[in-house]
Amino acid sequence: MMLDKMIYKVLWVEDQEEIVESTKLDADQYGIELDHYSNWQDAEVNLRNNFDDYTAIILDAYCKIKPTEDIKEEFINAVLPSLARMFGEKKRFIPWYILSAGTMNYFTHTVQGAEYQHQTDEWGQMLYIKDAPDDDPKNSRFLYENICKVGKE
């Protein structure tokens, strides 16, 4: 069931290829087009070139920074300064969120650090968990609903 007739384009950085298609289908139900990248280097180039096309950004917490590297626990800490710099250059913020399994070693610490840079009052909740139960507020459907809400504003 499509909740909104608008189409929201969302940059999505996720290295687990096996979840891409099913996640895209879930997002489609909300009028969200996920533009998927498996690493930050490629995503950043696309974001810089098509900045005004995006409604939101979804980041995995434990992902690749460069296509030839392994996934990094430092992913969020490496990406957020890059985003802040780009937001300053473009003179506009794009709401960003974390959608993760939450299984990395320093996950709680990483999330707590990211919360200082997230505009929760305007953008809503920052963290969503990939396998959260349907009724859990951290379930991805609440992320999609939140993106639609923020996208309208």
Side-chain angles (χ1 to χ4, degrees):
M1 170 175 91
M2 187 173 256
L3 299 178
D4 200 300
K5 291 189 177 78
M6 296 187 73
I7 298 292
Y8 301 106
K9 188 170 182 179
V10 175
L11 183 82
W12 180 35
V13 186
E14 169 63 59
D15 63 293
Q16 293 181 325
E17 293 295 329
E18 64 274 10
I19 69 164
V20 170
E21 289 310 311
S22 62
T23 304
K24 283 184 172 186
L25 288 172
D26 291 344
D28 282 347
Q29 295 178 28
Y30 292 85
I32 294 172
E33 174 192 335
L34 292 177
D35 188 16
H36 172 253
Y37 293 87
S38 63
N39 65 85
W40 176 244
Q41 187 176 52
D42 293 342
E44 183 180 25
V45 168
N46 186 275
L47 179 60
R48 189 169 293 286
N49 292 333
N50 301 290
F51 190 84
D52 291 329
D53 295 345
Y54 290 104
T55 303
I57 299 165
I58 300 173
L59 304 169
D60 187 10
Y62 188 46
C63 201
K64 294 179 180 183
I65 296 170
K66 295 181 179 179
T68 57
E69 293 180 342
D70 291 333
I71 54 177
K72 303 276 187 198
E73 287 190 359
E74 305 84 14
F75 179 75
I76 293 294
N77 294 332
V79 169
L80 292 184
S82 177
L83 275 179
R85 206 170 24 259
M86 195 178 313
F87 294 162
E89 291 168 5
K90 303 288 186 178
K91 297 179 177 40
R92 181 172 83 85
F93 289 94
I94 297 175
W96 56 268
Y97 304 92
I98 297 173
L99 177 61
S100 180
T103 56
M104 60 192 249
N105 289 335
Y106 302 103
F107 183 72
T108 301
H109 180 72
T110 298
V111 168
Q112 287 172 340
E115 284 175 340
Y116 290 111
Q117 299 180 56
H118 191 265
Q119 298 178 22
T120 305
D121 290 344
E122 297 171 37
W123 301 344
Q125 177 178 308
M126 176 191 74
L127 175 63
Y128 298 86
I129 303 296
K130 291 175 184 170
D131 60 355
D134 290 344
D135 61 343
D136 186 322
K138 291 186 178 178
N139 181 281
S140 60
R141 80 175 171 95
F142 294 103
L143 168 61
Y144 306 140
E145 289 173 4
N146 196 28
I147 289 171
C148 291
K149 178 183 168 208
V150 171
K152 287 179 190 175
E153 300 169 0

